[in-house]
Amino acid sequence: MIAVAAGTNRIDPYLIPALDGVAYGLLVFVAASGLVFCFGVANILNLAHGLLYAIGGYTAAALLDGGWVSLALALGVGVLAAAAAGVLLAGLLTPIATGNHLSQALLTFGVALAGGSLLVAGFGPDDPQVQVPAALEGSVVVAGHRYAAYRLVFIVVAAVLAAALYLVVRRTRAGMLVRAAVDDPEMVACLGVSPAWIRAGVLAAAGALAGAAGVLGAPIIGPGTDTADTVLLLSLVVVVLGGLGSMAGTLLAALAIGEIQTLGVALMPSAAPFLLFAAMAAVLAVRARGLAGRWSAA
């Protein structure tokens, strides 16, 4: 139970870790939603998804110089580069797009290994430093505690991205076609819309989301030799916990992961390395299909 300290300026000592958990969870949500979207809609198991995040992270490390212009440039370049990688991946997957997931996993895993090696060769084996805008380097006061300004801004931006994703899926024609493709791809084809183009668009959108997460989340999960593996592992846990193809389940699972990764360390440091997988096992033991079902914007 979270303790509440007495006094006007003394607050719960776990408030900051909990806030960190929200930031971490929203970062995982933005990164993992692309994988969930890809798996739930395009029916493709993309084990190169972490590589798309790493592209955004390395782009941030290369372009950020402490100014707002460089942040906008890094975001634009990172999103476009990751989206282009998603389209390239869609082209490579075309012959086995309707095949079994084992073939897709092997191909995308090979792409992830090759792409990761290229990034390390290009940027070096050391983890690069990421320089955020100078105005966001300081801290702000949250309920009497100092908290990193960048993380607070990131929470707001990530929440806006999550709301935008919901509106795109729920309120736009593109979102309607994507949802229709889940239920009846033959009907969508009869409307003159190629399911293959929808699949390519989904992979591009998944790449763009991962690229945006990589740029904006670089100060939280920074670029490095194990970044792609870390993000892929977290994204797969979100898929399992949230339930295949559910936006609401994805958000709930990502926030849960964020709190487990931060509050878990604060409350039970000795058990922290096992908490994430223990929680996943507990959820699956009660609800085998995850917290929610298939893709829906609800």
Side-chain angles (χ1 to χ4, degrees):
M1 178 179 179
I2 296 176
V4 178
T8 55
N9 294 322
R10 300 184 62 190
I11 64 170
D12 184 344
Y14 300 109
L15 174 63
I16 296 303
L19 202 55
D20 268 340
V22 173
Y24 196 91
L26 287 174
L27 171 59
V28 172
F29 169 74
V30 177
S33 58
L35 179 62
V36 175
F37 202 41
C38 179
F39 198 15
V41 176
N43 195 28
I44 288 177
L45 179 58
N46 178 18
L47 295 187
H49 189 71
L51 174 66
L52 304 179
Y53 176 95
I55 290 174
Y58 276 109
T59 301
L63 298 180
L64 286 180
D65 61 2
W68 292 103
V69 174
S70 66
L71 177 59
L73 180 63
L75 189 58
V77 173
V79 167
L80 288 177
V87 173
L88 177 62
L89 201 56
L92 293 174
L93 285 165
T94 298
I96 56 173
T98 57
N100 60 56
H101 288 150
L102 177 59
S103 300
Q104 298 168 2
L106 290 174
L107 190 151
T108 54
F109 185 64
V111 171
L113 291 177
S117 298
L118 288 175
L119 286 177
V120 172
F123 292 92
D126 299 327
D127 295 352
Q129 297 297 313
V130 178
Q131 190 175 5
V132 302
L136 300 180
E137 281 188 340
S139 60
V140 295
V141 177
V142 178
H145 281 255
R146 307 296 297 181
Y147 189 70
Y150 185 86
R151 290 195 174 222
L152 198 59
V153 172
F154 176 83
I155 290 174
V156 176
V157 173
V160 170
L161 283 176
L165 182 59
Y166 173 86
L167 291 175
V168 167
V169 172
R170 189 67 177 175
R171 303 293 184 187
T172 67
R173 174 177 168 78
M176 179 193 70
L177 288 173
V178 166
R179 287 185 286 119
V182 178
D183 295 324
D184 195 343
E186 289 79 11
M187 184 272 291
V188 173
C190 290
L191 295 176
V193 180
S194 168
W197 281 107
I198 292 179
R199 187 164 51 244
V202 166
L203 283 166
L209 283 168
V215 173
L216 298 175
I220 300 174
I221 301 179
T225 53
D226 60 347
T227 299
D229 295 337
T230 300
V231 172
L232 176 62
L233 177 61
L234 290 172
S235 299
L236 289 174
V237 173
V238 166
V239 171
V240 174
L241 273 181
L244 181 60
S246 167
M247 183 189 293
T250 300
L251 179 59
L252 185 60
L255 289 174
I257 288 173
E259 296 301 340
I260 290 171
Q261 293 287 74
T262 55
L263 272 179
V265 173
L267 293 171
M268 294 182 286
S270 59
F274 314 103
L275 285 178
L276 182 59
F277 299 103
M280 184 173 68
V283 169
L284 293 180
V286 177
R287 189 175 173 82
R289 298 179 65 179
L291 297 172
R294 54 184 302 169
W295 177 270
S296 71

